[in-house]
Amino acid sequence: MDKLLVIKIGGNTIDDEKKLSSFLQSFAAIAENKILVHGGGKLATNLANRLGIEQKMVEGRRITDEETLKIVTMVYAGYISKNIVAQLQSYGCNAMGLTGADGNLISAHKRNSVSEIDYGLAGDIDKINAEVLERLFDNDLIPVLSPITHDGKGQLLNTNADTIAQEIAKELANNFDVELIYCFEKAGVLLDVNDENTVIKKLTREEYQELKSPKTLNAGGKIFSGMIPKLDNAFTAIDAGVKKVVIGKAEQLLEIISGKAGTTIVNE
């Protein structure tokens, strides 16, 4: 089967023009089939504040009311998406910016309230339309996906970009050798979040369970708690047939792909 790289970049890269430009140059240089999924960065929050629209966050997740949905759609699917696409075009990469509503690409439903928290118009994914993505590959078009989905009834939804990347990787694993890459500000999974020299090169399920166990944490283990959802997603993707998941620094994208950087998640 052909190789496919599903690559997700976060807000810290998007918020830094120089880092984003460097990352996109590296992304454009990748010869294999590839998909880029991007988060939102601080632009949506900054714009909402300027417009006097209060933003509420719970455990790092945005509460998406109707006015906030308008903001994130304009920023994520508008400015950020088209800025990325324009830069990729300048690097010879024929990209196309899409939301989940385009081509019925990603259908979702409004998230149910969790522990009495109503996340508003936040979406949880129901289905990925793999056929649309494969048609884009056949026409040498590179999908750039913003974290906006739809419910099939005319309602847009704000959906976590990490989850979008994971679900796309899982869905396409039937037809491609898929590698899922999460790019963020750290060099990988760190034993000590304050020391970039403590990158774990390879992480098995058994090792991960030990690292996040209360026993290890109580003994002074320093694995970053915010990394746990990413790692849970990584092992879920591996279980669904994704060949490899790597977590690493956006500035090291090509080294991550070649196996010289980042943390590789393996199913052993």
Side-chain angles (χ1 to χ4, degrees):
M1 290 191 289
D2 291 337
K3 185 176 179 180
L4 168 65
L5 298 172
V6 179
I7 301 171
K8 188 265 176 178
I9 56 168
N12 286 312
T13 302
I14 291 168
D15 291 333
D16 187 312
E17 292 184 9
K18 289 184 178 179
K19 287 183 180 180
L20 178 60
S21 178
S22 176
F23 171 87
L24 293 176
Q25 282 185 273
S26 297
F27 180 84
I30 299 169
E32 293 89 355
N33 290 316
K34 54 197 174 187
I35 296 172
L36 181 60
V37 180
H38 64 82
K42 298 176 182 176
L43 284 175
T45 300
N46 292 342
L47 179 57
N49 289 336
R50 288 170 60 187
L51 294 174
I53 299 170
E54 183 182 2
Q55 298 295 283
K56 297 179 180 178
M57 307 289 285
V58 177
E59 296 179 352
R61 299 217 174 202
R62 190 186 302 272
I63 303 297
T64 308
D65 59 21
E66 291 185 5
E67 292 303 310
T68 295
L69 181 67
K70 294 175 185 177
I71 295 292
V72 298
T73 302
M74 286 189 287
V75 174
Y76 299 170
Y79 177 76
I80 291 175
S81 173
K82 300 315 172 188
N83 179 50
I84 288 173
V85 168
Q87 289 196 53
L88 287 174
Q89 296 291 0
S90 75
Y91 301 136
C93 178
N94 196 12
M96 179 176 286
L98 300 166
T99 70
D102 297 300
N104 194 28
L105 185 57
I106 308 173
S107 56
H109 63 273
K110 180 183 179 299
R111 180 177 303 155
N112 296 324
S113 297
V114 179
S115 299
E116 299 182 353
I117 299 171
D118 184 356
Y119 285 94
L121 295 171
D124 288 330
I125 295 172
D126 294 321
K127 185 178 180 181
I128 303 292
N129 191 336
E131 183 180 353
V132 171
L133 294 170
E134 291 178 19
R135 286 182 179 179
L136 292 174
F137 300 149
D138 291 341
N139 287 278
D140 297 321
L141 290 166
I142 307 304
V144 174
L145 305 180
S146 60
I148 302 295
T149 59
H150 78 125
D151 69 355
K153 302 174 183 177
Q155 179 64 61
L156 293 173
L157 297 164
N158 182 20
T159 298
N160 180 267
D162 281 358
T163 304
I164 288 176
Q166 175 199 334
E167 292 299 321
I168 287 174
K170 287 163 56 179
E171 183 65 30
L172 292 173
N174 293 321
N175 297 326
F176 296 89
D177 282 333
V178 178
E179 295 184 10
L180 173 59
I181 299 174
Y182 287 115
C183 291
F184 73 139
E185 69 274 16
K186 299 293 184 182
V189 181
L190 307 177
L191 281 173
D192 183 343
V193 70
N194 298 310
D195 186 354
E196 293 260 326
N197 294 315
T198 63
V199 175
I200 303 171
K201 298 296 185 182
K202 183 175 76 170
L203 186 64
T204 67
R205 190 186 306 273
E206 182 178 352
E207 291 166 339
Y208 173 47
Q209 294 299 329
E210 177 63 24
L211 280 174
K212 72 172 184 176
S213 69
K215 177 182 177 182
T216 300
L217 295 175
N218 291 337
K222 298 180 181 180
I223 186 169
F224 178 45
S225 60
M227 183 62 66
I228 289 176
K230 285 187 187 296
L231 290 170
D232 287 341
N233 284 342
F235 283 107
T236 297
I238 292 289
D239 289 341
V242 173
K243 184 177 180 181
K244 181 167 66 174
V245 182
V246 189
I247 299 173
K249 184 175 287 190
E251 297 94 308
Q252 298 178 309
L253 177 60
L254 297 182
E255 290 90 340
I256 289 171
I257 292 170
S258 66
K260 297 178 181 177
T263 297
T264 300
I265 310 301
V266 293
N267 193 16
E268 294 179 359

